[in-house]
Amino acid sequence: MEKLRRVLSGQDDEEQGLTAQVLDASSLSFNTRLKWFAICFASGVVFSILGIGLLWLPGGIKLFAVFYTLGNIAALVSTCFLMGPVKQLKKMFETTRLLATIVMLLCFILTLCAALWWHKKGLALLFCILQFLSMTWYSLSYIPYARDAVIKCCSSLPS
């Protein structure tokens, strides 16, 4: 009876599952969130570097595309541990970064399609370059006035 009273009053102190804790980032301690962020981000960097290393092997463009994309996805997912996945998704699809998010996600998908199903090496490499550019543009959206500064620098180059 006491357990039922605690549950109904919202004071149930039982351990949440890992999935529930991840979905509600506030239930994870700051140190835990920081550790998982570092693990995901570091694995993303390792995957990307491994992909670049595999690029120089014969037929390595397929492995490069897969590992580079997995690295970018892991780096993107790592931020979910800092702010929570729901807040991350809301921020990703805000109007200021909606186009960058859509292009970035499309580049992830198209890179994998070009490398694994279409077997078009040049197209996979092109999508990896577009993936890098879209991830950079997406990341700049979190820094105030960074996009404006990049646009101003690039527009002054031709003149």
Side-chain angles (χ1 to χ4, degrees):
M1 189 64 150
E2 182 64 27
K3 180 167 175 58
L4 180 61
R5 190 174 315 155
R6 281 193 319 237
V7 169
L8 292 176
S9 67
Q11 298 174 349
D12 190 22
D13 57 348
E14 269 193 36
E15 190 81 19
Q16 285 183 311
L18 179 63
T19 306
Q21 287 180 354
V22 169
L23 289 175
D24 181 22
S26 63
S27 67
L28 295 172
S29 71
F30 179 73
N31 286 339
T32 304
R33 288 187 282 146
L34 203 57
K35 286 175 189 172
W36 279 105
F37 164 75
I39 290 169
C40 280
F41 190 78
S43 65
V45 169
V46 168
F47 279 151
S48 294
I49 291 172
L50 182 62
I52 291 169
L54 293 171
L55 180 62
W56 308 113
L57 295 177
I61 189 75
K62 182 186 291 188
L63 291 173
F64 163 71
V66 170
F67 277 99
Y68 186 75
T69 302
L70 288 176
N72 281 336
I73 291 171
L76 185 65
V77 167
S78 71
T79 58
C80 289
F81 286 102
L82 292 180
M83 66 176 83
V86 174
K87 191 173 180 182
Q88 170 75 17
L89 286 172
K90 284 180 182 177
K91 285 188 172 277
M92 284 176 70
F93 290 99
E94 286 177 351
T95 55
T96 56
R97 56 185 69 91
L98 179 64
L99 183 61
T101 300
I102 290 171
V103 171
M104 178 181 61
L105 295 175
L106 276 175
C107 285
F108 289 162
I109 293 166
L110 292 173
T111 300
L112 293 175
C113 287
L116 300 175
W117 290 285
W118 304 332
H119 304 290
K120 303 286 185 185
K121 295 176 183 179
L123 205 52
L125 191 59
L126 174 69
F127 287 134
C128 282
I129 293 168
L130 291 174
Q131 194 179 121
F132 172 78
L133 293 173
S134 64
M135 279 286 286
T136 302
W137 193 250
Y138 170 80
S139 299
L140 287 174
S141 71
Y142 284 95
I143 303 168
Y145 305 108
R147 285 179 168 181
D148 294 334
V150 170
I151 290 172
K152 191 172 184 176
C153 286
C154 290
S155 65
S156 68
L157 288 177
S159 57

